Amino acid sequence: MDIIWLLLQSAWVSVLTAVAAGLISGASSASLIALINTAIEQGTPRSLILPFVGLALLALFTGAVSQFLLIDLAQDSVYQLRMRLSQRILSSPLRQLEALGPSKLLAVLTKDVQSISDSVFVLPFLCVDVAVICGCLIHLGILSSWGVAIVIAFFGVTIALVQILITAAYRYIALTRKEVDRLFKNFRGITEGTKELKLNTLRQQRFMDEDLKTNAATVRDYNKTAFKLAALSTGSGQLSFFTLIGIMLFGVPQIVPDIRPVLPAYILTLTYVISYIEGLLRRLPNLLSANVSIRKVTEMGLTLSRQAEISSPGTHNHASSWQTLKLEGVVHIYRSEETDSTFTVGPIDLTVKANELIFIVGGNGSGKSTLAKLITGLYIPNAGRLLLDGEPIVDSNREWYRQLFSTVFSDYYLFERLITTEETTIDSTAQTYLEKLQLEKKVSIQNGQLSTTALSQGQRKRLALLAAYLENRSIYLFDEWAADQDPTFREVFYTQLLGELIARGKTVIVISHDDHYFHIADRIIKLDYGQIEMAR
């Protein structure tokens, strides 16, 4: 089981201790059955009271120890899994994450990790179930070697039958998991495309009927089949038990007459052990689902780590006193596997000087945002290189290089926590910017936290600008920042805020369509279909 391997990787000593405690608990429970059989045969002598109480307490104590240890281990393992996977996402190239898409990443971080978390609670009970079953078989073997041979053989046939059904169920659970990625994508369509769906009834109908309904129905049908097969395996196990009881009652005594004296003990023991067998069979679907999720998480983790970036910010003395940033023959290629097509941005030759205000302009799809991601180091060039004061930006210093930038991209994410290099004055500094951005009546700041981000799109962008100001980096990049602002504040942005950044010695790169303000730029870089068409 993959879930066992996950726990062993976390802390194998504690896992073995927990398993041993579970086995002792199960063995104690099995010994209680043997003691009960002995007591019945001997007329319930008082001498067996202390052993009975001792075994009961031992079973209770070791069972609790096993459960507590495995619960702690399971939760620690899930925590480590969440953190490790999150770190791998952060260390993966942006282009790779964009290719995977948020739906797949979200499905792994939510459904798969939660499935693993839910399933680990059955492991302590699983250990006890196995121990009780093994202990009872040993007890039956002591009573009659022929009888236990028949029981084991029957169990072997039953397990083989159940395994066939479980394997089929596992296949459908795996198919379900593949469909879940698409289901999360459709859920994002509902949450993020609500306005478009409400405004277009035909789109809403087709989305519901042809996309979401079809996808959800496939998940439903796969789940139905998987859990029906699992239920059938449980029912088969129960039927097999009663068949075994019938064989032991009516068939075996005819073949092995010597078993008649111990037959009541056999029936009592088998009746006791059946509840543990049923429990084992009921928990198997959860374990199968967890195995599928673990393999999905592992697969995603390996996919992400295959091209993991080196995370070593390092320290360079010239981080805030650089003079020139050059792009030499930089190329970025978009490849679409679905349409088997490519789009190339570059080769780009560009020099950015410190304390310069640059506008990047061009039509939609001309490559402006891609160029911005290349400049900031978020995209690794397919060809060419970046140089900062003549020093090439490579894997070993790319993370450090990115720390030069504060950005507000068009698809920005607004965090509630503010970060600044002057932690002691963050609230007062942020309050000053709030007033400048005319947000002091909407938002308050306490201990570096925004009171709310539930604002209009334009106001949220102002908060993103506030966060960028507080970071106090050397280079600022704004991707269509003014697009959601009213005319008055748009003018404030271009004529006041950008000038203040330049006055502070910052370098500012602005992606913009606002040709009314092009005259304030030191230089304008115009892109057309991935190429620099004009620079002035």
Side-chain angles (χ1 to χ4, degrees):
M1 285 288 183
D2 293 334
I3 190 72
I4 301 294
W5 178 241
L6 175 67
L7 293 178
L8 285 172
Q9 286 180 310
S10 176
W12 65 271
V13 174
S14 298
V15 171
L16 294 180
T17 303
V19 170
L23 293 175
I24 292 172
S25 177
S28 300
S29 298
S31 298
L32 278 173
I33 293 298
L35 189 65
I36 292 170
N37 285 330
T38 302
I40 292 173
E41 292 174 359
Q42 298 179 4
T44 61
R46 297 179 63 84
S47 59
L48 296 180
I49 294 177
L50 285 179
F52 181 87
V53 173
L55 285 172
L57 292 176
L58 181 62
L60 176 64
F61 175 75
T62 53
V65 168
S66 175
Q67 291 181 41
F68 290 170
L69 281 173
L70 283 174
I71 286 171
D72 285 342
L73 281 170
Q75 292 308 306
D76 289 343
S77 297
V78 170
Y79 164 77
Q80 293 168 11
L81 184 64
R82 284 191 173 118
M83 299 308 298
R84 187 165 61 246
L85 191 58
S86 297
Q87 186 58 52
R88 284 180 176 174
I89 290 174
L90 290 176
S91 63
S92 296
L94 177 63
R95 190 72 193 97
Q96 185 186 5
L97 296 178
E98 289 175 344
L100 285 171
S103 300
K104 288 184 179 180
L105 296 174
L106 190 61
V108 168
L109 287 171
T110 54
K111 183 188 184 305
D112 288 322
V113 174
Q114 188 60 48
S115 176
I116 296 168
S117 177
D118 292 341
S119 68
V120 293
F121 286 106
V122 310
L123 291 178
F125 303 101
L126 187 67
C127 292
V128 173
D129 291 342
V130 172
V132 169
I133 293 168
C134 292
C136 288
L137 288 176
I138 292 172
H139 173 59
L140 293 178
I142 294 172
L143 293 176
S144 170
S145 57
W146 279 104
V148 78
I150 294 171
V151 170
I152 291 175
F154 196 87
F155 277 1
V157 174
T158 301
I159 290 171
L161 173 62
V162 169
Q163 185 59 42
I164 292 172
L165 296 171
I166 294 258
T167 301
Y170 179 88
R171 185 167 63 250
Y172 279 99
I173 290 174
L175 289 172
T176 300
R177 181 56 190 82
K178 289 182 179 179
E179 288 293 321
V180 166
D181 287 340
R182 290 180 56 205
L183 190 60
F184 270 75
K185 183 178 180 180
N186 287 326
F187 286 159
R188 287 186 67 235
I190 290 177
T191 58
E192 298 178 17
T194 304
K195 296 186 296 296
E196 289 77 7
L197 293 174
K198 284 182 176 294
L199 290 170
N200 192 319
T201 305
L202 180 60
R203 179 187 296 278
Q204 182 182 137
Q205 258 183 344
R206 289 190 175 176
F207 172 78
M208 292 297 293
D209 294 341
E210 299 177 16
D211 296 327
L212 181 59
K213 185 177 181 180
T214 301
N215 181 217
T218 301
V219 172
R220 176 200 63 193
D221 294 341
Y222 283 159
N223 271 329
K224 279 184 177 181
T225 304
F227 288 110
K228 283 178 182 178
L229 287 169
L232 188 58
S233 68
T234 302
S236 299
Q238 293 174 339
L239 178 62
S240 298
F241 164 73
F242 290 113
T243 302
L244 176 61
I245 294 294
I247 291 173
M248 296 301 296
L249 282 174
F250 306 112
V252 173
Q254 309 302 322
I255 303 172
V256 187
D258 294 341
I259 204 173
R260 291 182 185 275
V262 297
L263 195 57
Y266 255 78
I267 301 303
L268 175 63
T269 303
L270 289 174
T271 303
Y272 174 73
V273 82
I274 187 58
S275 62
Y276 291 92
I277 294 176
E278 289 177 350
L280 187 64
L281 292 175
R282 280 197 306 270
R283 294 178 183 111
L284 284 178
N286 288 335
L287 294 177
L288 290 175
S289 180
N291 280 345
V292 171
S293 292
I294 288 174
R295 291 181 184 181
K296 190 71 177 180
V297 168
T298 303
E299 175 189 327
M300 182 65 73
L302 292 174
T303 300
L304 295 175
S305 62
R306 194 173 295 132
Q307 297 180 348
E309 298 174 340
I310 298 173
S311 180
S312 54
T315 55
H316 287 57
N317 293 330
H318 67 278
S320 59
S321 59
W322 63 278
Q323 296 301 315
T324 58
L325 167 61
K326 289 186 177 181
L327 284 72
E328 293 185 350
V330 168
V331 174
H332 183 78
I333 303 173
Y334 286 96
R335 292 184 175 87
S336 174
E337 295 181 0
E338 296 179 358
T339 60
D340 194 26
S341 61
T342 61
F343 174 72
T344 302
V345 175
I348 299 289
D349 291 296
L350 177 65
T351 300
V352 178
K353 297 178 181 178
N355 200 212
E356 191 174 23
L357 175 57
I358 297 175
F359 278 22
I360 299 177
V361 303
N364 293 331
S366 61
K368 301 187 301 297
S369 294
T370 300
L371 177 57
K373 291 173 184 176
L374 287 167
I375 291 173
T376 55
L378 291 172
Y379 279 177
I380 301 172
N382 297 107
R385 60 179 185 165
L386 278 73
L387 300 99
L388 188 71
D389 288 340
E391 180 180 356
I393 304 303
V394 293
D395 289 344
S396 59
N397 64 357
R398 185 172 287 109
E399 184 73 14
W400 162 80
Y401 167 76
R402 290 171 181 162
Q403 309 314 302
L404 295 173
F405 294 88
S406 284
T407 66
V408 182
F409 283 102
S410 58
D411 57 348
Y412 70 98
Y413 182 85
L414 182 60
F415 289 93
E416 292 184 351
R417 182 179 298 279
L418 299 173
I419 303 296
T420 181
T421 54
E422 302 175 359
E423 295 293 340
T424 56
T425 61
I426 186 170
D427 286 1
S428 59
T429 305
Q431 186 63 38
T432 301
Y433 283 122
L434 273 182
E435 294 171 2
K436 185 175 293 188
L437 296 170
Q438 301 176 18
L439 292 172
E440 72 278 5
K441 296 181 180 179
K442 298 282 186 178
V443 184
S444 61
I445 298 172
Q446 187 173 5
N447 299 323
Q449 294 275 121
L450 296 170
S451 60
T452 181
T453 59
L455 304 171
S456 69
Q457 182 69 8
Q459 291 169 337
R460 284 171 54 83
K461 269 198 173 178
R462 293 187 213 173
L463 286 179
L465 183 62
L466 161 66
Y469 277 158
L470 292 174
E471 288 178 359
N472 194 28
R473 300 292 179 82
S474 178
I475 308 173
Y476 283 79
L477 188 147
F478 303 111
D479 185 359
E480 300 287 359
W481 184 89
D484 299 303
Q485 305 302 320
D486 58 59
T488 301
F489 209 86
R490 184 176 302 180
E491 183 174 356
V492 170
F493 171 72
Y494 284 110
T495 61
Q496 296 182 32
L497 301 180
L498 294 183
E500 290 177 9
L501 288 172
I502 294 298
R504 289 168 55 192
K506 308 301 182 182
T507 302
V508 182
I509 301 171
V510 180
I511 298 175
S512 175
H513 285 106
D514 293 323
D515 52 4
H516 287 94
Y517 301 99
F518 284 0
H519 64 280
I520 70 173
D522 296 322
R523 276 195 297 155
I524 295 176
I525 309 298
K526 184 176 181 181
L527 288 180
D528 184 41
Y529 204 69
Q531 305 291 321
I532 293 182
E533 184 182 72
M534 179 192 69
R536 64 175 179 85

